[in-house]
PDB file of all heavy atoms in Angstrom:
ATOM      1  N   LEU B 648      86.189 -23.554  19.204  1.00  0.00           N
ATOM      2  CA  LEU B 648      85.046 -23.327  18.358  1.00  0.00           C
ATOM      3  C   LEU B 648      83.953 -22.441  19.014  1.00  0.00           C
ATOM      4  O   LEU B 648      83.331 -21.617  18.414  1.00  0.00           O
ATOM      5  CB  LEU B 648      84.390 -24.638  17.945  1.00  0.00           C
ATOM      6  CG  LEU B 648      85.032 -25.327  16.705  1.00  0.00           C
ATOM      7  CD1 LEU B 648      84.153 -26.562  16.304  1.00  0.00           C
ATOM      8  CD2 LEU B 648      85.230 -24.400  15.534  1.00  0.00           C
ATOM      9  N   TYR B 659      78.609 -10.054  14.008  1.00  0.00           N
ATOM     10  CA  TYR B 659      77.447  -9.873  13.204  1.00  0.00           C
ATOM     11  C   TYR B 659      76.584  -8.764  13.806  1.00  0.00           C
ATOM     12  O   TYR B 659      76.078  -7.859  13.054  1.00  0.00           O
ATOM     13  CB  TYR B 659      76.692 -11.228  13.186  1.00  0.00           C
ATOM     14  CG  TYR B 659      75.578 -11.265  12.126  1.00  0.00           C
ATOM     15  CD1 TYR B 659      75.775 -11.836  10.946  1.00  0.00           C
ATOM     16  CD2 TYR B 659      74.305 -10.697  12.406  1.00  0.00           C
ATOM     17  CE1 TYR B 659      74.771 -11.864   9.942  1.00  0.00           C
ATOM     18  CE2 TYR B 659      73.307 -10.728  11.443  1.00  0.00           C
ATOM     19  CZ  TYR B 659      73.562 -11.306  10.205  1.00  0.00           C
ATOM     20  OH  TYR B 659      72.558 -11.351   9.281  1.00  0.00           O
ATOM     21  N   LEU B 826      61.056 -11.131   9.797  1.00  0.00           N
ATOM     22  CA  LEU B 826      59.588 -10.644   9.728  1.00  0.00           C
ATOM     23  C   LEU B 826      59.487  -9.382   8.962  1.00  0.00           C
ATOM     24  O   LEU B 826      58.561  -9.198   8.184  1.00  0.00           O
ATOM     25  CB  LEU B 826      59.125 -10.397  11.193  1.00  0.00           C
ATOM     26  CG  LEU B 826      58.924 -11.608  12.084  1.00  0.00           C
ATOM     27  CD1 LEU B 826      58.053 -11.272  13.328  1.00  0.00           C
ATOM     28  CD2 LEU B 826      58.302 -12.776  11.352  1.00  0.00           C
TER      29      LEU B 826
END
Side-chain angles (χ1 to χ4, degrees):
Chain B
L648 278 188
Y659 193 98
L826 291 195

